[in-house]
């Protein structure tokens, strides 16, 4: 009897051990988080189901239940990254300009945290009709339209204001991400930026502006651009014709 009890205890322990070792279920969020990490590390070109499966320790074929295609996976990565953005809303003070400034700086922070995702944020919508885009990519649009309407714009004017504002933000972050320093420890601006390699006769302005390029301050440039954009929006409530 005691032997049977011992064997039963051993079997129970083995069963529990197997259950403990059994892998937990994988969610779409788990897959997209791992995919975003791959894109952050090596760019979107490095993203594949094979590499993704390896990083998650899973059979790549099992991942297709969470992302049926490469396009769906990329769209999911964009949506997952955008979920980090706080939703812009009218503050109690009613200062809609300050709300737009905060949203702009939050978007810049997101872009600097995920530079390889920025081109996807800008270009992916061009390949997909508005109503077919992932809902997460449309929520910032809806929130900004709501903010502009609360600020006094009519529906059509809010849409024009949104396009101007977001177009500026996209252009700014793309420009800022291009300001790559070739050799951070080099003090000579031409050498630091690698501009010494450019033929002087063909690129006189780029070489002449090396000091200004080397002193680029993305946050300051963002605020200066916002001053211009918001002053223009403040001067009128754009109406539909």
């Amino acid at each position: 009897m005691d032997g049977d009890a011992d064997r039963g205890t051993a079997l129970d322990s083995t069963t529990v051990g197997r259950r403990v070792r059994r892998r937990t279920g994988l969610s779409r969020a788990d897959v997209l988080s791992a995919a975003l990490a791959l894109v952050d590390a090596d760019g979107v070109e490095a993203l594949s189901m094979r590499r993704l499966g390896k990083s998650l320790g899973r059979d790549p074929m099992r991942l297709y239940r969470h992302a049926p295609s490469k396009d769906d996976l990329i769209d999911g990565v964009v949506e997952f990254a955008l979920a980090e953005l706080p939703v812009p809303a009218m503050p109690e003070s009613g200062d809609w300009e300050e709300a737009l400034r905060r949203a702009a700086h939050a978007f810049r922070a997101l872009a600097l945290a995920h530079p390889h995702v920025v081109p996807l944020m800008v270009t992916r919508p061009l390949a997909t009709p508005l109503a077919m885009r992932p809902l997460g990519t449309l929520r910032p649009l809806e929130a900004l339209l709501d903010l502009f309407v609360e600020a006094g714009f009519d529906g059509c004017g809010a849409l024009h204001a949104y396009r101007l504002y977001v177009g500026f933000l996209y252009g700014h972050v793309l420009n800022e991400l291009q300001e790559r320093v070739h050799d951070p420890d080099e003090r000579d601006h031409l050498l630091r930026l690698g501009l010494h390699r450019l033929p002087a006769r063909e690129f006189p302005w780029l070489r002449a502006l090396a000091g200004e390029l080397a002193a680029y301050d993305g946050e300051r440039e963002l605020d200066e651009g916002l001053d211009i954009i918001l002053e223009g929006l403040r001067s009128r409530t754009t109406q539909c014709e």
Side-chain angles (χ1 to χ4, degrees):
M1 290 291 292
D2 291 341
D4 291 339
D6 290 342
R7 282 196 297 274
T9 301
L11 288 173
D12 289 342
S13 299
T14 302
T15 302
V16 171
R18 287 173 180 170
R19 287 174 180 170
V20 170
R21 290 193 297 271
R22 190 174 295 166
R23 290 175 178 173
T24 57
L26 199 64
S27 68
R28 178 173 168 84
D30 294 329
V31 173
L32 295 180
S33 178
L36 177 59
L38 284 177
V39 173
D40 284 342
D42 300 312
V44 68
E45 299 82 6
L47 183 60
S48 68
M49 288 299 191
R50 188 173 185 176
R51 284 197 64 182
L52 189 55
K54 184 177 180 180
S55 70
L56 289 166
R58 301 298 176 95
D59 181 349
M61 297 305 294
R62 292 181 176 272
L63 304 182
Y64 282 100
R65 70 181 64 178
H66 301 289
S69 67
K70 178 72 174 288
D71 283 342
D72 181 77
L73 180 62
I74 292 175
D75 286 339
V77 167
V78 173
E79 186 177 22
F80 191 80
L82 283 174
E84 297 180 17
L85 276 179
V87 177
M90 181 69 76
E92 292 184 5
S93 64
D95 189 344
W96 59 274
E97 294 183 39
E98 181 58 30
L100 290 174
R101 288 184 184 277
R102 287 201 303 268
H105 281 274
F107 182 76
R108 175 178 177 266
L110 177 70
L112 295 180
H114 306 292
H116 292 302
V117 181
V118 173
L120 298 177
M121 293 180 185
V122 176
T123 61
R124 290 298 295 176
L126 301 178
T128 310
L130 189 65
M132 296 179 65
R133 297 175 195 170
L135 294 182
T137 64
L138 294 177
R139 289 193 177 96
L141 164 57
E142 183 70 18
L144 283 170
L145 289 175
D146 187 61
L147 177 60
F148 281 121
V149 169
E150 285 194 63
F153 293 83
D154 66 6
C156 190
L159 184 58
H160 292 322
Y162 163 82
R163 288 170 177 160
L164 178 64
Y165 173 76
V166 171
F168 164 70
L169 285 184
Y170 282 172
H172 172 82
V173 296
L174 287 173
N175 278 328
E176 182 169 358
L177 291 174
Q178 289 183 68
E179 300 291 335
R180 305 284 181 167
V181 175
H182 175 67
D183 185 356
D185 297 325
E186 176 59 56
R187 293 188 177 184
D188 182 275
H189 297 318
L190 279 173
L191 298 176
R192 186 180 181 211
L193 298 174
L195 297 179
H196 61 289
R197 299 174 178 176
L198 299 179
R201 292 185 179 181
E202 295 181 43
F203 300 95
W205 279 112
L206 281 177
R207 291 173 63 99
L209 291 170
E212 182 67 22
L213 290 168
Y216 180 84
D217 183 337
E219 187 172 17
R220 178 178 58 82
E221 293 269 351
L222 176 65
D223 282 324
E224 290 178 355
L226 285 171
D227 287 341
I228 297 170
I229 296 295
L230 295 178
E231 182 179 357
L233 292 175
R234 190 187 316 126
S235 66
R236 61 174 182 161
T237 302
T238 310
Q239 302 291 333
C240 292
E241 298 182 357

